[in-house]
Amino acid sequence: MDLLSIPSSNPSLPPKIKEARDMFKYAAVFFLVAALIYFLWGFLTIMSGVLWSVLFLDATYSIWSMISGTIRIVFGVVALILKGKLVDDLIDPIDDGRAKEIGETTMVIYIILGFIFGLVIAGVLVLLGYMKLDEAETQANQCPTCRAGLRYVPEYDNWYCDNCGDYKTPVTPPRSPGPPPPEAPPEEPEEKPPESPPPPE
């Protein structure tokens, strides 16, 4: 885990995935900025407490300054670690083509931690990146002609548009189609599930 550097972007990323990666990159940068702010803030707080103690012989203020300054420095350390973990957990999987492996729980955790240790802005940036990833997932299986959802047909390893009645290549082809989503049971007995489409020519 490299705490300071951010890897270069994969040039072959789809546009929406790249936008999500950029949001995560900015969040990582802002974790670095937050760490620097916390370090400086904590150091200045401790130094002001020491100076106050020397000038006015007031140990109480000095002790509280030491405690609050140390807490801020700890926040800085946590922000620095979160920056490195964010690169490992969010940016690296996107660059490796494994964006679908990023779990929703992981994303929510980084949003919350970004609000706490990233001076709110890092959390907002991770949230925007999460929304971009969700948008990319929605667009991944759209028909390029009518924008309706495509249905994956396992026996032909192809995508079929029920609206157009033809096989289509998704707007942003998914890296691995996986099994099709389960079809909802018909509400009325008269309705029949869609018939299997003919084999592609």
Coordinates of all heavy atoms in Angstrom, one line a residue, residues 8-48:
S8 N -1.3 5.6 -12.4 CA -1.8 6.2 -13.7 C -3.1 5.4 -14.1 O -3.3 4.2 -13.8 CB -0.8 6.1 -14.8 OG 0.4 6.8 -14.4
S9 N -4.0 6.1 -14.8 CA -5.3 5.6 -15.2 C -5.1 4.6 -16.4 O -4.2 4.8 -17.2 CB -6.2 6.7 -15.6 OG -7.4 6.2 -16.1
N10 N -5.9 3.6 -16.4 CA -6.0 2.7 -17.5 C -6.7 3.4 -18.7 O -7.8 3.8 -18.6 CB -6.8 1.4 -17.1 CG -6.9 0.4 -18.2 OD1 -6.5 0.6 -19.4 ND2 -7.3 -0.8 -17.9
P11 N -6.0 3.6 -19.8 CA -6.6 4.4 -20.9 C -7.7 3.7 -21.6 O -8.5 4.4 -22.3 CB -5.4 4.5 -21.9 CG -4.5 3.4 -21.6 CD -4.6 3.1 -20.1
S12 N -7.9 2.4 -21.4 CA -9.0 1.7 -22.1 C -10.3 1.7 -21.3 O -11.3 1.0 -21.7 CB -8.6 0.3 -22.4 OG -8.4 -0.4 -21.2
L13 N -10.4 2.4 -20.2 CA -11.6 2.4 -19.4 C -12.8 3.1 -20.2 O -12.6 4.1 -20.9 CB -11.4 3.2 -18.1 CG -10.4 2.6 -17.1 CD1 -10.2 3.5 -15.9 CD2 -10.9 1.2 -16.6
P14 N -14.0 2.6 -20.0 CA -15.2 3.2 -20.6 C -15.4 4.6 -19.9 O -14.9 4.8 -18.8 CB -16.4 2.3 -20.2 CG -15.7 1.0 -19.9 CD -14.4 1.3 -19.4
P15 N -16.0 5.6 -20.6 CA -16.1 6.9 -20.1 C -16.7 7.1 -18.7 O -16.1 7.8 -17.9 CB -17.0 7.6 -21.2 CG -16.9 6.8 -22.4 CD -16.6 5.4 -22.0
K16 N -17.8 6.4 -18.4 CA -18.4 6.5 -17.1 C -17.6 5.9 -16.0 O -17.5 6.4 -14.9 CB -19.8 5.8 -17.1 CG -20.9 6.6 -17.9 CD -21.2 7.9 -17.2 CE -22.2 8.7 -18.0 NZ -22.5 10.0 -17.5
I17 N -16.9 4.8 -16.3 CA -16.0 4.2 -15.4 C -14.8 5.1 -15.1 O -14.4 5.2 -14.0 CB -15.5 2.8 -15.9 CG1 -16.7 1.9 -16.2 CG2 -14.5 2.2 -14.9 CD1 -17.3 1.3 -14.9
K18 N -14.3 5.7 -16.2 CA -13.2 6.7 -16.0 C -13.6 7.9 -15.1 O -12.8 8.3 -14.3 CB -12.7 7.2 -17.4 CG -11.4 8.0 -17.3 CD -10.9 8.4 -18.6 CE -9.6 9.2 -18.5 NZ -9.6 10.2 -17.5
E19 N -14.9 8.3 -15.3 CA -15.3 9.4 -14.5 C -15.4 9.0 -13.0 O -15.1 9.8 -12.1 CB -16.7 9.9 -15.0 CG -16.7 10.6 -16.3 CD -18.1 11.0 -16.8 OE1 -19.0 11.0 -15.9 OE2 -18.3 11.3 -18.0
A20 N -15.8 7.8 -12.8 CA -15.9 7.3 -11.4 C -14.5 7.2 -10.8 O -14.2 7.6 -9.7 CB -16.6 5.9 -11.4
R21 N -13.5 6.7 -11.6 CA -12.1 6.6 -11.2 C -11.6 8.0 -10.8 O -10.9 8.2 -9.9 CB -11.3 5.9 -12.2 CG -9.9 5.7 -11.8 CD -8.9 5.5 -12.9 NE -7.6 5.1 -12.4 CZ -6.7 5.9 -12.0 NH1 -6.9 7.2 -12.0 NH2 -5.5 5.4 -11.6
D22 N -11.9 9.0 -11.7 CA -11.4 10.3 -11.4 C -12.0 10.9 -10.1 O -11.2 11.5 -9.3 CB -11.9 11.3 -12.6 CG -11.1 11.0 -13.8 OD1 -10.0 10.4 -13.8 OD2 -11.5 11.5 -14.9
M23 N -13.2 10.6 -9.8 CA -13.8 11.0 -8.5 C -13.0 10.3 -7.3 O -12.7 11.0 -6.3 CB -15.3 10.6 -8.4 CG -16.2 11.4 -9.3 SD -16.2 13.2 -9.0 CE -15.3 13.8 -10.4
F24 N -12.7 9.1 -7.5 CA -12.0 8.4 -6.4 C -10.6 8.9 -6.3 O -10.0 9.0 -5.2 CB -12.0 6.8 -6.7 CG -13.3 6.2 -6.7 CD1 -13.6 5.1 -7.5 CD2 -14.3 6.6 -5.8 CE1 -14.9 4.5 -7.5 CE2 -15.6 6.0 -5.8 CZ -15.8 5.0 -6.6
K25 N -10.0 9.3 -7.5 CA -8.6 9.8 -7.4 C -8.6 11.2 -6.7 O -7.8 11.4 -5.8 CB -8.1 10.0 -8.8 CG -6.7 10.6 -8.9 CD -6.3 10.9 -10.3 CE -7.0 12.2 -10.8 NZ -6.5 12.6 -12.2
Y26 N -9.6 12.0 -7.0 CA -9.7 13.3 -6.3 C -10.0 13.1 -4.8 O -9.5 13.9 -3.9 CB -10.8 14.2 -6.9 CG -10.6 14.5 -8.3 CD1 -11.7 14.6 -9.2 CD2 -9.4 14.7 -8.9 CE1 -11.6 14.9 -10.6 CE2 -9.2 15.0 -10.2 CZ -10.3 15.1 -11.0 OH -10.1 15.3 -12.4
A27 N -10.8 12.1 -4.4 CA -11.0 11.8 -3.0 C -9.7 11.4 -2.3 O -9.4 11.8 -1.2 CB -12.0 10.6 -2.9
A28 N -8.9 10.5 -3.0 CA -7.6 10.1 -2.5 C -6.7 11.3 -2.3 O -6.0 11.5 -1.2 CB -6.9 9.1 -3.4
V29 N -6.7 12.2 -3.3 CA -5.9 13.5 -3.1 C -6.3 14.3 -2.0 O -5.5 14.8 -1.2 CB -5.9 14.3 -4.4 CG1 -5.3 15.7 -4.2 CG2 -5.2 13.6 -5.6
F30 N -7.7 14.4 -1.8 CA -8.2 15.2 -0.7 C -7.9 14.5 0.7 O -7.8 15.2 1.7 CB -9.6 15.5 -0.9 CG -10.0 16.8 -0.2 CD1 -9.8 18.0 -0.8 CD2 -10.5 16.8 1.1 CE1 -10.1 19.2 -0.2 CE2 -10.8 18.0 1.8 CZ -10.6 19.2 1.1
F31 N -7.8 13.2 0.7 CA -7.4 12.6 2.0 C -6.0 13.0 2.3 O -5.6 13.2 3.5 CB -7.5 11.0 1.8 CG -8.8 10.4 2.3 CD1 -9.5 9.6 1.4 CD2 -9.3 10.7 3.5 CE1 -10.7 9.1 1.8 CE2 -10.5 10.1 3.9 CZ -11.2 9.3 3.0
L32 N -5.1 13.1 1.3 CA -3.8 13.6 1.5 C -3.8 15.1 2.1 O -3.1 15.4 3.0 CB -2.9 13.6 0.2 CG -2.4 12.2 -0.2 CD1 -1.6 12.3 -1.5 CD2 -1.5 11.7 0.9
V33 N -4.6 15.9 1.4 CA -4.7 17.3 1.9 C -5.2 17.3 3.3 O -4.7 18.1 4.1 CB -5.7 18.1 0.9 CG1 -6.0 19.5 1.5 CG2 -5.1 18.2 -0.5
A34 N -6.3 16.5 3.6 CA -6.8 16.5 5.0 C -5.7 16.0 6.0 O -5.6 16.6 7.1 CB -8.0 15.5 5.0
A35 N -4.9 15.0 5.6 CA -3.9 14.6 6.5 C -2.9 15.7 6.8 O -2.5 15.9 7.9 CB -3.2 13.4 5.9
L36 N -2.5 16.5 5.7 CA -1.6 17.6 5.9 C -2.2 18.6 6.8 O -1.5 19.2 7.7 CB -1.2 18.2 4.6 CG -0.2 19.3 4.6 CD1 1.1 18.9 5.2 CD2 -0.1 19.9 3.2
I37 N -3.5 18.9 6.6 CA -4.1 19.9 7.5 C -4.2 19.5 8.9 O -3.9 20.3 9.8 CB -5.6 20.2 6.9 CG1 -5.5 21.0 5.6 CG2 -6.4 21.0 7.9 CD1 -6.8 21.1 4.9
Y38 N -4.5 18.2 9.1 CA -4.6 17.7 10.5 C -3.2 17.7 11.2 O -3.1 18.0 12.4 CB -5.2 16.3 10.5 CG -6.7 16.2 10.3 CD1 -7.2 15.4 9.4 CD2 -7.5 16.9 11.2 CE1 -8.6 15.3 9.2 CE2 -8.9 16.8 11.0 CZ -9.4 16.0 10.1 OH -10.8 15.9 9.9
F39 N -2.2 17.3 10.4 CA -0.8 17.3 11.0 C -0.4 18.7 11.4 O 0.1 18.9 12.5 CB 0.2 16.8 10.0 CG 0.1 15.3 9.8 CD1 0.3 14.7 8.6 CD2 -0.1 14.4 10.9 CE1 0.2 13.3 8.4 CE2 -0.2 13.0 10.7 CZ 0.0 12.5 9.5
L40 N -0.6 19.7 10.5 CA -0.2 21.1 10.8 C -1.1 21.6 12.0 O -0.5 22.3 12.9 CB -0.4 22.0 9.6 CG 0.6 21.7 8.5 CD1 0.3 22.6 7.3 CD2 2.0 22.0 8.9
W41 N -2.4 21.4 11.9 CA -3.3 21.8 13.0 C -2.9 21.3 14.3 O -2.8 22.0 15.4 CB -4.7 21.5 12.6 CG -5.8 22.1 13.4 CD1 -5.6 23.1 14.3 CD2 -7.2 21.8 13.3 NE1 -6.8 23.4 14.9 CE2 -7.8 22.7 14.3 CE3 -7.9 20.9 12.6 CZ2 -9.2 22.6 14.5 CZ3 -9.3 20.9 12.8 CH2 -9.9 21.8 13.7
G42 N -2.6 19.9 14.4 CA -2.2 19.3 15.6 C -0.9 19.8 16.2 O -0.8 20.1 17.4
F43 N 0.1 20.0 15.3 CA 1.4 20.5 15.7 C 1.3 21.9 16.2 O 1.9 22.2 17.3 CB 2.4 20.4 14.5 CG 3.7 21.0 14.8 CD1 4.6 20.2 15.5 CD2 4.1 22.2 14.3 CE1 5.9 20.7 15.8 CE2 5.4 22.7 14.6 CZ 6.3 22.0 15.3
L44 N 0.6 22.8 15.5 CA 0.4 24.1 16.0 C -0.3 24.2 17.3 O 0.0 25.0 18.2 CB -0.3 25.0 15.0 CG 0.5 25.3 13.7 CD1 -0.4 26.0 12.7 CD2 1.7 26.1 14.0
T45 N -1.3 23.3 17.5 CA -2.1 23.3 18.8 C -1.2 22.9 19.9 O -1.2 23.5 21.0 CB -3.3 22.3 18.7 OG1 -4.1 22.7 17.6 CG2 -4.1 22.3 20.0
I46 N -0.3 21.9 19.7 CA 0.6 21.4 20.8 C 1.6 22.5 21.1 O 1.9 22.8 22.2 CB 1.3 20.1 20.3 CG1 0.3 19.0 20.3 CG2 2.5 19.8 21.3 CD1 0.8 17.7 19.7
M47 N 2.1 23.2 20.0 CA 3.1 24.2 20.2 C 2.5 25.4 21.0 O 3.2 26.0 21.8 CB 3.7 24.6 18.9 CG 4.6 23.6 18.3 SD 5.9 22.9 19.3 CE 6.9 24.4 19.6
S48 N 1.3 25.8 20.6 CA 0.7 26.9 21.3 C 0.4 26.6 22.8 O 0.6 27.4 23.7 CB -0.7 27.3 20.7 OG -1.6 26.2 20.9

